[in-house]
Amino acid sequence: MIRTLARKDLHTLFAAPSTWMMLALLQFILGWFFLARLDDYLQVQTQLAQMDDAPGATISIAAPLANLLALLLLMLTPLFSMRLIAEERRNQTWLLLATSPLSSVQIVLGKFTGLLILLSIVIIASVAMMSLLALGTQADLGLILCNLLGLWLLAAAYAALGLYFSAINRQPVVAAFTALAVSVALWLLDMASGMLRALSPNMHFQNLNSGLLSSADIVYFVLFCIFFVMLTIHHIRRERGGH
Amino acid sequence: MSAPTTLSAKNLVRFHGKRRVVDDVSFTLQRGEVLGLLGHNGAGKSTTLMMLSGALQPSSGSVEVCDFDLAQRADLGKACLGFLPEHPPLYRDMRVDDQLLFAARLHKVGKAQLDEYLELTKRRCGLLDWGKRLIGELSKGYQQRVGIAQAIIHQPAVVILDEPTVGLDPAQIRDIRELISELGDSSSVILSTHLLHEVEQVCDRAVILREGRNIFSGSLDELRAHSDIESSFLRLNAATESEQA
């Protein structure tokens, strides 16, 4: 059932020209940034060769690329997530799901999975770009995989947050805007100190971005997703009643 | 012996804010019966149907579909239900076949029966040649047919239709009424409308709502015997229509 719903959502997302436009634009920005970083690296390569502990190509090119994608995901995810529930309500198709035998858990997980598959495509495409470094140099595979995991967890967190705001708002644009506002606020918490900083997804992503794989960061993202998915389930269950 | 009860609503109440939109509505539906839910705009018809279909939780009261309480066993109860809301829940960027198959899968139709049910439903709704068309490109009448088709594709025991003939031309209205009568042979149907003559044409029994209250429930003969209700309804109808004109 979750698969049926996720497949339908992916179909709807890919049927919209705007999705293709956004994906194409995203790849263009990432590709351009990748080439620019590569160019910079090649220019300073001779100087780097004289240093004792010089940074490698992966940390100089791939890590900043992942960092840029993290920022772009922050802005892009609300544009996709707003459609999940708010747009179904606006187009009156929500009643088909609400009156189906699917439980609220299945509906929410189906929607979440559909969006996560779309974001995974974006992430895999960019990680494939990073892996191109292996053609010319010895790429740090561990760092690339760590970034893949980090981006994926970050995307899941933004997707869960966006899904919740899509459930509580009737207007898709309002859903996108509130999700974006909250995501930016959480991102800015990275500049705070102490406990508040620990709440920022960005701070946890930075660890993975620099190749530091810590279970605390993974647990943070998993809890973040569970929190917003549960809130969404609760909201929908209260409205439909029963299951 | 009377036919088995497929749906029963007991003391349904629903508040919107502090206002009671539906106030203590109860009725039952037997297999093979077409029940007309009559009322003017704002009488609480759509809210009642939303509660019967499990899209909205009643503030109090209960709904049982095929002996399953929607509050307890919603998954089983809702599998026996087909619902066409006031605005058909159609994905405009989907093809007719895809929408119908999606609705069937949501209602747990097995893989083996999918094609058979799709073919049968399209034949019943006159959509055989329309399967590959995008829903957004269809006329309103055909969209309404797809709306009915997605409500009946899983062969539910109870079909709930919210104003299925609004905004259609006379030929389309006739087709849809014929389809509803045909549905009444195999399933139970609840039909909401504000047109008394529609109830007289296709329904076996009627329930009349006014300001959220159930003011009449009985067979069409009983309705005719209550000439006061019938005439007051007609009077109100005429007033509404002249307002709209």
Side-chain angles (χ1 to χ4, degrees):
Chain A
M1 278 301 134
I2 293 175
R3 205 177 59 182
T4 307
L5 197 53
R7 202 165 62 179
K8 195 280 299 170
D9 268 4
L10 273 178
H11 177 277
T12 312
L13 277 169
F14 279 117
S18 59
T19 307
W20 292 99
M21 284 281 290
M22 280 195 273
L23 293 184
L25 204 61
L26 188 68
Q27 286 308 309
F28 177 76
I29 294 172
L30 291 174
W32 181 73
F33 184 81
F34 179 69
L35 285 178
R37 288 296 299 195
L38 187 65
D39 212 29
D40 286 351
Y41 183 76
L42 288 177
Q43 277 182 11
V44 294
Q45 201 182 17
T46 44
Q47 287 141 295
L48 286 175
Q50 292 158 7
M51 285 167 67
D52 282 341
D53 196 15
T58 319
I59 196 100
S60 311
I61 301 169
L65 186 71
N67 216 349
L68 175 69
L69 181 57
L71 189 65
L72 291 174
L73 280 175
L74 167 92
M75 294 185 267
L76 268 185
T77 314
L79 293 179
F80 292 121
S81 68
M82 70 175 184
R83 319 185 65 146
L84 293 176
I85 297 176
E87 191 156 280
E88 292 235 23
R89 283 194 209 271
R90 194 186 58 178
N91 295 344
Q92 319 273 356
T93 48
W94 175 248
L95 280 178
L96 178 60
L97 302 180
T99 60
S100 75
L102 262 64
S103 67
S104 302
V105 176
Q106 284 173 319
I107 294 180
V108 172
L109 288 183
K111 297 256 155 209
F112 180 64
T113 312
L115 180 56
L116 201 51
I117 291 174
L118 176 82
L119 295 175
S120 300
I121 295 172
V122 174
I123 293 169
I124 288 169
S126 71
V127 170
M129 202 187 287
M130 294 175 202
S131 308
L132 285 178
L133 286 175
L135 291 177
T137 177
Q138 198 176 6
D140 183 348
L141 199 65
L143 184 63
I144 290 181
L145 286 178
C146 210
N147 270 296
L148 172 68
L149 178 71
L151 283 172
W152 195 75
L153 287 171
L154 191 70
Y158 288 147
L161 184 127
L163 182 64
Y164 174 63
F165 286 103
S166 186
I168 60 169
N169 287 298
R170 288 196 173 263
Q171 292 295 330
V173 178
V174 182
F177 192 76
T178 42
L180 181 66
V182 174
S183 306
V184 169
L186 284 171
W187 188 71
L188 287 176
L189 280 182
D190 193 24
M191 295 169 192
S193 57
M195 278 295 286
L196 271 181
R197 185 159 182 256
L199 286 176
S200 167
N202 196 41
M203 174 248 179
H204 296 275
F205 173 72
Q206 290 307 327
N207 288 344
L208 288 157
N209 186 233
S210 57
L212 183 68
L213 185 65
S214 132
S215 52
D217 297 325
I218 297 173
V219 169
Y220 164 82
F221 280 115
V222 172
L223 286 179
F224 190 100
C225 291
I226 292 177
F227 177 70
F228 280 104
V229 166
M230 294 290 278
L231 274 186
T232 315
I233 293 171
H234 174 72
H235 184 82
I236 287 172
R237 192 179 275 161
R238 204 181 49 185
E239 181 185 81
R240 293 169 85 208
H243 60 155
Chain B
M1 207 180 110
S2 64
T5 302
T6 48
L7 181 142
S8 80
K10 286 184 198 130
N11 312 103
L12 289 181
V13 176
R14 173 77 199 186
F15 287 92
H16 278 182
K18 282 189 175 169
R19 205 161 63 87
R20 268 177 188 250
V21 191
V22 175
D23 189 1
D24 201 21
V25 170
S26 304
F27 55 85
T28 59
L29 183 68
Q30 259 88 40
R31 179 174 296 162
E33 193 175 42
V34 181
L35 176 81
L37 190 64
L38 260 170
H40 304 291
N41 299 335
K45 297 188 301 278
S46 290
T47 310
T48 306
L49 294 188
M50 296 266 275
M51 288 191 281
L52 295 180
S53 61
L56 205 61
Q57 190 174 23
S59 302
S60 71
S62 67
V63 179
E64 273 184 25
V65 183
C66 300
D67 295 329
F68 299 114
D69 190 326
L70 281 193
Q72 312 287 333
R73 295 311 313 261
D75 51 336
L76 297 174
K78 284 180 178 177
C80 309
L81 267 175
F83 180 43
L84 170 71
E86 206 173 345
H87 302 277
L90 303 177
Y91 296 97
R92 297 176 59 83
D93 50 12
M94 268 195 186
R95 295 182 196 284
V96 172
D97 279 353
D98 293 336
Q99 162 96 37
L100 295 181
L101 287 173
F102 175 62
R105 285 195 193 101
L106 279 186
H107 288 90
K108 303 186 173 173
V109 173
K111 247 189 188 149
Q113 293 138 331
L114 274 180
D115 288 337
E116 182 197 336
Y117 281 15
L118 177 68
E119 187 75 14
L120 182 73
T121 309
K122 282 201 294 183
R123 191 173 316 125
R124 285 176 100 176
C125 299
L127 290 167
L128 274 178
D129 301 329
W130 300 79
K132 299 279 175 252
R133 295 282 291 267
L134 281 177
I135 291 174
E137 292 174 353
L138 299 180
S139 68
K140 188 163 166 40
Y142 272 94
Q143 288 190 358
Q144 195 71 8
R145 284 175 193 231
V146 181
I148 296 180
Q150 61 80 29
I152 63 173
I153 188 160
H154 54 291
Q155 319 265 321
V158 181
V159 181
I160 301 177
L161 307 171
D162 194 356
E163 309 224 6
T165 56
V166 164
L168 302 183
D169 68 37
Q172 290 168 334
I173 291 178
R174 197 190 53 225
D175 289 350
I176 293 210
R177 283 185 189 155
E178 274 171 19
L179 177 64
I180 294 167
S181 306
E182 198 188 303
L183 282 176
D185 298 337
S186 50
S187 321
S188 316
V189 181
I190 300 183
L191 167 78
S192 92
T193 176
H194 58 273
L195 304 170
L196 187 61
H197 67 91
E198 188 158 86
V199 169
E200 285 175 333
Q201 274 180 16
V202 293
C203 298
D204 307 309
R205 230 152 44 82
V207 167
I208 301 184
L209 295 184
R210 186 190 287 161
E211 289 166 5
R213 285 210 181 84
N214 184 350
I215 57 164
F216 172 84
S217 175
S219 69
L220 289 188
D221 291 335
E222 285 170 312
L223 178 63
R224 288 187 197 103
H226 280 78
S227 55
D228 52 328
I229 293 177
E230 190 177 10
S231 61
S232 74
F233 197 85
L234 282 174
R235 232 183 5 257
L236 274 166
N237 244 0
T240 323
E241 271 162 25
S242 66
E243 260 173 41
Q244 282 168 354

